[in-house]
Amino acid sequence: MDAPDFRLDARVALVTGAGSGIGRAVALGLAASGADVACLDLAGEGLSATVAEIEAGGRRAVAVPADVTDPEGLAAAVARTEEELGELTLAVNCAGIANAAPAEEMSLAQWQKVVDIDYTGVFLSCQAEARAMLAHGRGSIVNIASMSGSIVNRGLLQAHYNSAKAAVIHLSRSLAMEWSDRGIRVNSISPGYTATPMNTRPEVAEQVRQFEADTPLGRMAGVGEMVGPAVFLLSDAASFCTGVDLVVDGGFTCW
Ligand code: NAP
């Protein structure tokens, strides 16, 4: 029997949120696994840095700045990806934001912005990506949800974020079923606490110590620890996985 095929050689991937944190690590990791990568984020230095690092490693990359709440911008980003790199068949949707407020005080604007980016933005990204993939008859999409879609983080007042993430998990299953007979797999990853700019600011140091104490593995994840799960789900090694939510939380949700 041959070894399972985790490689992504000669494949073209689109990664949203590729300018920072988990998205940046995933974009670099897909390139290291052989893919050419279109990097989507709001325009900024992070985006060009990710592209430059992929190119320095010998793979092709293109920056496709867009806002995930803008369907036309997403369609243009997918079109540019295919013009520059070839047929799009892989995507990881990482763009997201987080903030907090007591539910009884949260403004509609604060609620709506998180839902628009973290939930509707994932739907619109999948829609734009799948329109290309359905035409090619194959594709694999991974959406970055969160363990906050299954549990409520003690001490974090983020009803909008938690419910948007729960919606992303079920959206991923729903799309997996809609596209299962047309060659497209859709899965989600639910990270636990991960050391990204969101969680490494000095002002949250005390809170982070508590996150680490509450995690059975005793620490936050590094961003690189989301790469293996993403490569696995995208690759042919996961050819029978669709509609799965892969929880990558250092055991947090077991306790
Ligand atoms: P991050 O470092 O802030 O990266 C998120 C990226 O998304 C940023 O580059 C951000 O750009 C971009 N973005 C925000 N709004 C956007 C929009 N409307 N259109 C396009 N791009 C947009 O955060 P992260 O921690 O890596 O988070 C990545 C994903 O993992 C998110 O979905 C998050 O909810 C999820 N997650 C994170 C953790 C954790 O502990 N860090 C745990 C579970 C799940 P700007 O910086 O310009 O805003």
Short mmCIF file of all heavy atoms in Angstrom, two decimals, residues 193 199-215 218-220 252:
data_model
loop_
_atom_site.label_atom_id
_atom_site.label_comp_id
_atom_site.label_asym_id
_atom_site.label_seq_id
_atom_site.Cartn_x
_atom_site.Cartn_y
_atom_site.Cartn_z
N TYR A 193 -7.55 28.05 22.01
CA TYR A 193 -6.78 29.29 22.16
C TYR A 193 -5.45 29.17 21.42
O TYR A 193 -4.70 28.21 21.61
CB TYR A 193 -6.50 29.58 23.64
CG TYR A 193 -7.76 29.92 24.40
CD1 TYR A 193 -8.25 29.08 25.40
CD2 TYR A 193 -8.47 31.09 24.11
CE1 TYR A 193 -9.41 29.39 26.08
CE2 TYR A 193 -9.63 31.41 24.79
CZ TYR A 193 -10.10 30.55 25.77
OH TYR A 193 -11.25 30.86 26.45
N ASN A 199 -4.16 37.33 20.89
CA ASN A 199 -3.95 36.76 22.23
C ASN A 199 -2.55 36.99 22.79
O ASN A 199 -2.22 36.44 23.84
CB ASN A 199 -4.18 35.24 22.19
CG ASN A 199 -5.62 34.90 21.97
OD1 ASN A 199 -6.50 35.62 22.45
ND2 ASN A 199 -5.89 33.83 21.26
N THR A 200 -1.74 37.79 22.09
CA THR A 200 -0.37 37.96 22.60
C THR A 200 -0.10 39.41 23.02
O THR A 200 1.03 39.79 23.26
CB THR A 200 0.67 37.52 21.54
OG1 THR A 200 0.32 38.10 20.29
CG2 THR A 200 0.69 36.01 21.38
N ARG A 201 -1.16 40.22 23.15
CA ARG A 201 -0.98 41.60 23.63
C ARG A 201 -0.71 41.57 25.13
O ARG A 201 -1.32 40.77 25.86
CB ARG A 201 -2.27 42.41 23.38
CG ARG A 201 -2.54 42.71 21.92
CD ARG A 201 -3.94 43.25 21.71
NE ARG A 201 -4.94 42.22 21.94
CZ ARG A 201 -6.10 42.41 22.56
NH1 ARG A 201 -6.41 43.57 23.06
NH2 ARG A 201 -6.95 41.41 22.71
N PRO A 202 0.19 42.46 25.64
CA PRO A 202 0.51 42.46 27.07
C PRO A 202 -0.74 42.63 27.94
O PRO A 202 -0.85 42.03 29.01
CB PRO A 202 1.44 43.67 27.24
CG PRO A 202 1.84 44.10 25.88
CD PRO A 202 0.94 43.46 24.87
N GLU A 203 -1.72 43.41 27.46
CA GLU A 203 -2.90 43.68 28.31
C GLU A 203 -3.79 42.46 28.52
O GLU A 203 -4.66 42.47 29.39
CB GLU A 203 -3.71 44.88 27.79
CG GLU A 203 -4.25 44.75 26.38
CD GLU A 203 -3.30 45.26 25.30
OE1 GLU A 203 -2.06 45.18 25.50
OE2 GLU A 203 -3.79 45.70 24.26
N VAL A 204 -3.59 41.39 27.73
CA VAL A 204 -4.39 40.17 27.97
C VAL A 204 -3.54 39.06 28.60
O VAL A 204 -3.99 37.92 28.69
CB VAL A 204 -5.10 39.65 26.68
CG1 VAL A 204 -6.12 40.65 26.18
CG2 VAL A 204 -4.10 39.31 25.59
N ALA A 205 -2.35 39.43 29.10
CA ALA A 205 -1.42 38.42 29.62
C ALA A 205 -2.06 37.59 30.75
O ALA A 205 -1.91 36.36 30.78
CB ALA A 205 -0.14 39.08 30.10
N GLU A 206 -2.77 38.26 31.64
CA GLU A 206 -3.36 37.55 32.78
C GLU A 206 -4.43 36.55 32.30
O GLU A 206 -4.48 35.40 32.74
CB GLU A 206 -3.98 38.58 33.75
CG GLU A 206 -4.36 38.01 35.10
CD GLU A 206 -3.25 37.15 35.73
OE1 GLU A 206 -2.07 37.57 35.78
OE2 GLU A 206 -3.58 36.02 36.14
N GLN A 207 -5.25 37.01 31.37
CA GLN A 207 -6.31 36.17 30.80
C GLN A 207 -5.69 34.95 30.09
O GLN A 207 -6.18 33.83 30.21
CB GLN A 207 -7.10 37.01 29.81
CG GLN A 207 -8.55 36.64 29.69
CD GLN A 207 -9.29 37.69 28.87
OE1 GLN A 207 -8.69 38.49 28.14
NE2 GLN A 207 -10.60 37.66 28.96
N VAL A 208 -4.59 35.19 29.40
CA VAL A 208 -3.93 34.12 28.65
C VAL A 208 -3.39 33.05 29.61
O VAL A 208 -3.48 31.85 29.34
CB VAL A 208 -2.81 34.68 27.75
CG1 VAL A 208 -1.87 33.59 27.29
CG2 VAL A 208 -3.43 35.39 26.55
N ARG A 209 -2.86 33.49 30.76
CA ARG A 209 -2.39 32.50 31.75
C ARG A 209 -3.53 31.57 32.16
O ARG A 209 -3.36 30.37 32.31
CB ARG A 209 -1.80 33.20 32.99
CG ARG A 209 -0.29 33.40 32.85
CD ARG A 209 0.34 33.84 34.16
NE ARG A 209 0.10 35.25 34.44
CZ ARG A 209 0.76 36.26 33.86
NH1 ARG A 209 1.73 36.00 33.00
NH2 ARG A 209 0.49 37.50 34.16
N GLN A 210 -4.73 32.15 32.29
CA GLN A 210 -5.90 31.33 32.64
C GLN A 210 -6.26 30.39 31.49
O GLN A 210 -6.57 29.21 31.70
CB GLN A 210 -7.09 32.24 32.99
CG GLN A 210 -8.27 31.51 33.60
CD GLN A 210 -7.89 30.77 34.89
OE1 GLN A 210 -7.29 31.34 35.79
NE2 GLN A 210 -8.21 29.47 34.96
N PHE A 211 -6.22 30.90 30.23
CA PHE A 211 -6.51 30.05 29.06
C PHE A 211 -5.57 28.83 29.08
O PHE A 211 -5.98 27.70 28.83
CB PHE A 211 -6.26 30.76 27.73
CG PHE A 211 -7.14 31.95 27.44
CD1 PHE A 211 -6.78 32.88 26.46
CD2 PHE A 211 -8.33 32.15 28.12
CE1 PHE A 211 -7.57 33.98 26.18
CE2 PHE A 211 -9.14 33.25 27.83
CZ PHE A 211 -8.75 34.16 26.86
N GLU A 212 -4.29 29.11 29.37
CA GLU A 212 -3.30 28.03 29.32
C GLU A 212 -3.56 27.02 30.43
O GLU A 212 -3.48 25.81 30.22
CB GLU A 212 -1.89 28.62 29.41
CG GLU A 212 -1.59 29.42 28.15
CD GLU A 212 -0.21 30.07 28.13
OE1 GLU A 212 0.31 30.40 29.20
OE2 GLU A 212 0.32 30.26 27.01
N ALA A 213 -3.91 27.53 31.62
CA ALA A 213 -4.19 26.63 32.74
C ALA A 213 -5.43 25.77 32.46
O ALA A 213 -5.52 24.62 32.90
CB ALA A 213 -4.40 27.45 34.02
N ASP A 214 -6.38 26.32 31.71
CA ASP A 214 -7.62 25.59 31.40
C ASP A 214 -7.46 24.61 30.24
O ASP A 214 -8.40 23.87 29.92
CB ASP A 214 -8.74 26.58 31.02
CG ASP A 214 -9.25 27.35 32.24
OD1 ASP A 214 -9.00 26.91 33.37
OD2 ASP A 214 -9.92 28.39 32.03
N THR A 215 -6.32 24.64 29.57
CA THR A 215 -6.10 23.75 28.42
C THR A 215 -5.30 22.53 28.87
O THR A 215 -4.20 22.68 29.41
CB THR A 215 -5.32 24.51 27.31
OG1 THR A 215 -6.08 25.66 26.93
CG2 THR A 215 -5.09 23.63 26.10
N GLY A 218 -1.72 22.49 28.50
CA GLY A 218 -1.00 23.44 29.33
C GLY A 218 -0.47 24.67 28.63
O GLY A 218 0.36 25.40 29.18
N ARG A 219 -0.93 24.94 27.41
CA ARG A 219 -0.44 26.10 26.66
C ARG A 219 -1.42 26.43 25.56
O ARG A 219 -2.34 25.65 25.29
CB ARG A 219 0.94 25.79 26.06
CG ARG A 219 0.92 24.60 25.11
CD ARG A 219 2.28 24.29 24.52
NE ARG A 219 2.23 23.09 23.69
CZ ARG A 219 1.82 23.04 22.42
NH1 ARG A 219 1.40 24.14 21.83
NH2 ARG A 219 1.82 21.91 21.75
N MET A 220 -1.21 27.61 24.94
CA MET A 220 -1.98 27.91 23.73
C MET A 220 -1.33 27.18 22.56
O MET A 220 -0.16 26.80 22.62
CB MET A 220 -1.95 29.42 23.43
CG MET A 220 -2.73 30.24 24.42
SD MET A 220 -3.12 31.88 23.75
CE MET A 220 -1.52 32.64 23.76
N PHE A 252 -9.02 21.08 25.23
CA PHE A 252 -9.84 22.01 26.03
C PHE A 252 -11.28 21.54 26.20
O PHE A 252 -11.83 21.59 27.30
CB PHE A 252 -9.83 23.40 25.38
CG PHE A 252 -10.48 24.47 26.23
CD1 PHE A 252 -9.71 25.30 27.03
CD2 PHE A 252 -11.86 24.64 26.22
CE1 PHE A 252 -10.31 26.27 27.82
CE2 PHE A 252 -12.47 25.60 27.01
CZ PHE A 252 -11.68 26.42 27.81
#
